[in-house]
Amino acid sequence: MVGIDEVARAAGVSTATVSRALSGKHNVSESTRERVQEAAQRLGYVVSSSASSLASGRTRNIGVVIPHLDRWFFSTLLSGIAEEVTRAGYDITLYNVTPDREHRRQVFDTFLRRQRVDGVIAVALELGEHESRALLSLGMPVIAIGGPNELLPTLSIDDVGLGRLATEHLLAMGHLDIGHIGADPEFDIDFHIPSSRRHGFESALRAAGIDPRPELFEPGDFTIEGGFRAAKQLLGRPGASPTAIFAASDEMAIGAMLAARDLGYRVPTDLSIAGIDGHELGRFFDLTTVDQFPARQGARAAATILHELEQPAGSVPDREELPYELVVRGSTARIGT
């Protein structure tokens, strides 16, 4: 096994310089760093994580607390985190938090206290005061992605604004009878994302002088199958059908498009459909969406944590609003066209 002394001889520097160069410390010239990295790569030398941790007091590991691993939004956001931290030479430890109270307590009161990470990113979790203070007590950088948290620095997305923007687009296309696919209360746990998007939907209707109609709402479960079932219910009821559907996620919007096709509706000639997320399948289905850039959200959170690790505490703003953007494609059209 190649040792650090062999890399030092090959690069013509001391072992201390090799250690500083490969750990990312700033007191090494760029030319020396490149020479050391080239020698390490040529010899197949990899820094021992345990030795590096003992020398620096860091694990070079970022903890990510996340509620779902099997949902597109979360996996995409996680890929953004991973790309950023691995580029900086860090690893990731995942803590999958379920709604079970005892499991959450173990994560926040036990697992994270083992000091195996240098910083923590909490994704889309509505943290109680005890959980937030447990994270702060770790004495390391912590950042949350999601709704507001008075105790933690937070990257937040305006879910009311997302719903309002999608609905305003449909209203601008002349649609007055707009159905909405949201979620049951069981899917409305953290930050009440589905209800926030429904609030944006209803506020846009009221601003246009339209009273929301309960019969034009149908819950789903943020999956394609759930959107398919919900759209079948909306479009199969007696009486006038909606001329447009706003789904609270792109996956449910795609399910609605498939249901419309099964029922003989032409999208967008007979029915316009819009979603939220910026799902990669949106291009394939030509779906109009409000893109919230989940990969960028993850990369931004990771960059913030890495910056905090290199800079004095307090350099991270308490709250930062994340961007979103309406992407108009072929699933929506002006009514009557």
Side-chain angles (χ1 to χ4, degrees), residues 181 224 227-228 231 235 245 247 250-268 271-275 281-282 284-288 330-332:
I181 300 176
I224 292 175
F228 181 87
L235 300 173
I245 291 177
D250 280 352
E251 290 193 48
M252 292 197 295
I254 290 167
M257 294 178 75
L258 296 174
R261 183 191 64 185
D262 273 11
L263 293 171
Y265 285 80
R266 296 167 298 168
V267 177
L271 181 72
S272 286
I273 298 176
L281 288 176
F284 179 79
F285 282 90
D286 207 16
L287 176 67
T288 292
S331 68
T332 55

Side-chain angles (χ1 to χ4, degrees), residues 49-309:
S49 60
S50 57
S52 176
S53 178
L54 286 171
S56 66
R58 291 189 183 172
T59 66
R60 298 199 71 79
N61 197 358
I62 302 297
V64 180
V65 186
I66 196 165
H68 302 285
L69 296 174
D70 58 347
R71 297 289 179 89
W72 175 86
F73 172 83
F74 294 102
S75 63
T76 304
L77 189 147
L78 184 58
S79 72
I81 295 174
E83 184 175 349
E84 193 74 19
V85 301
T86 54
R87 186 186 299 119
Y90 283 73
D91 295 319
I92 288 179
T93 295
L94 292 179
Y95 300 92
N96 184 206
V97 175
T98 70
D100 180 75
R101 188 169 296 180
E102 177 59 23
H103 181 256
R104 286 180 73 120
R105 188 195 65 76
Q106 281 188 321
V107 170
F108 289 98
D109 292 350
T110 303
F111 298 158
L112 289 171
R113 291 184 180 276
R114 291 173 178 168
Q115 300 296 317
R116 294 176 178 171
V117 297
D118 295 327
V120 177
I121 301 172
V123 179
L125 292 168
E126 189 167 15
L127 302 173
E129 182 176 353
H130 172 77
E131 293 172 337
S132 297
R133 293 196 182 280
L135 289 175
L136 288 172
S137 71
L138 298 174
M140 62 181 65
V142 176
I143 191 163
I145 304 177
N149 186 309
E150 295 180 358
L151 297 176
L152 299 176
T154 306
L155 304 179
S156 61
I157 193 81
D158 181 5
D159 282 292
V160 174
L162 292 171
R164 185 185 298 116
L165 181 58
T167 308
E168 287 173 345
H169 168 68
L170 295 173
L171 290 167
M173 297 290 100
H175 296 280
L176 304 179
D177 299 313
I178 305 173
H180 176 48
I181 300 176
D184 281 322
E186 64 182 290
F187 295 99
D188 203 20
I189 298 173
D190 287 307
F191 300 125
H192 310 293
I193 289 170
S195 59
S196 294
R197 293 177 184 178
R198 183 177 181 180
H199 178 64
F201 164 72
E202 292 180 345
S203 68
L205 292 181
R206 290 192 178 99
I210 302 170
D211 290 328
R213 294 160 53 188
E215 68 272 20
L216 291 182
F217 170 79
E218 190 66 31
D221 62 2
F222 277 60
T223 67
I224 292 175
E225 184 179 359
F228 181 87
R229 291 194 302 267
K232 280 284 187 83
Q233 291 293 319
L234 278 175
L235 300 173
R237 288 176 181 151
S241 296
T243 63
I245 291 177
F246 158 53
S249 78
D250 280 352
E251 290 193 48
M252 292 197 295
I254 290 167
M257 294 178 75
L258 296 174
R261 183 191 64 185
D262 273 11
L263 293 171
Y265 285 80
R266 296 167 298 168
V267 177
T269 305
D270 303 322
L271 181 72
S272 286
I273 298 176
I276 287 178
D277 275 338
H279 198 294
E280 57 194 12
L281 288 176
R283 289 184 179 276
F284 179 79
F285 282 90
D286 207 16
L287 176 67
T288 292
T289 184
V290 180
D291 195 341
Q292 59 172 322
F293 310 111
R296 292 190 208 172
Q297 289 187 33
R300 178 60 184 147
T304 302
I305 283 285
L306 295 171
H307 176 76
E308 177 69 3
L309 286 168

Side-chain angles (χ1 to χ4, degrees), residues 2 4 15 24 27 72 117-118 238 275 305 322:
V2 176
I4 191 171
T15 56
N27 53 344
W72 175 86
V117 297
D118 295 327
I305 283 285
L322 295 165

